[in-house]
Amino acid sequence: DADELAGQLAVVGRCVSAGVPTRVYSVSLGGFDTHADEKATQERLLGEFDSAVSGFLNTMKDDAHGRNVVVIAYSEFGRRVRANASEGTDHGTAGPVLIAGAPVRGGFYGDEPSLTDLDDGDLKVTTDFRDVYAELLDKAIGSDPTPAVGPGRTPVGFL
């Protein structure tokens, strides 16, 4: 359904506005695990993502409880740089993370990945996800990140 993510975020938005004490919500948008003719599918899914998340954040910015909302979007797998024979991409190692919301300091964090200096055809990881997660736990949730990600994490600086 084209409005699946928007519907999930609408439920989260109602919970946040009602002051439900839940600190973390999880929603998902499937369909990205394609390996052939990806262009149209990617355009459709990314458009749905953009519309749903933009609408959610616009609603939250004017809400007393919603002003503290931070959204993190990530994939459980990266993608290879080179297209395969079916005009798609196969699973890779590194991938982007999007973090948005009123408390977030916008910008590009980490090093821009090289499209030519690869690790066996994959992008090289430039920012450890544990550092991102530690910052979210510490700054957005107010929780000690050490039990989840270990000691010695490097702050990324987006919150």
Side-chain angles (χ1 to χ4, degrees):
D1 178 58
D3 296 320
E4 178 184 346
L5 182 60
Q8 293 174 64
L9 288 171
V11 171
V12 171
R14 288 192 297 275
C15 290
V16 170
S17 294
V20 174
T22 301
R23 302 294 309 266
V24 176
Y25 293 89
S26 177
V27 299
S28 65
L29 175 61
F32 286 95
D33 193 6
T34 58
H35 297 269
D37 299 319
E38 289 177 320
K39 187 174 188 259
T41 302
Q42 293 287 323
E43 286 176 354
R44 178 182 54 78
L45 289 169
L46 291 172
E48 180 180 340
F49 174 83
D50 174 40
S51 177
V53 173
S54 295
F56 174 73
L57 289 173
N58 281 331
T59 300
M60 291 293 96
K61 74 178 181 175
D62 296 325
D63 184 274
H65 298 289
R67 285 192 288 270
N68 295 321
V69 167
V70 174
V71 172
I72 176 172
Y74 62 94
S75 174
E76 74 268 21
F77 54 83
R79 285 294 187 177
R80 305 295 305 252
V81 173
R82 185 177 306 271
N84 61 28
S86 301
E87 297 184 24
T89 55
D90 295 320
H91 292 225
T93 56
V97 173
L98 172 75
I99 301 170
V104 176
R105 284 188 218 117
F108 185 91
Y109 292 86
D111 296 324
E112 186 174 330
S114 171
L115 297 177
T116 56
D117 181 19
L118 303 174
D119 182 10
D120 192 29
D122 287 321
L123 294 174
K124 291 181 178 178
V125 174
T126 64
T127 303
D128 192 321
F129 185 76
R130 293 172 296 179
D131 293 338
V132 173
Y133 198 60
E135 188 160 336
L136 288 165
L137 288 171
D138 180 35
K139 305 284 188 201
I141 304 294
S143 176
D144 177 11
T146 305
V149 296
R153 302 308 335 152
T154 302
V156 179
F158 56 86
L159 288 175

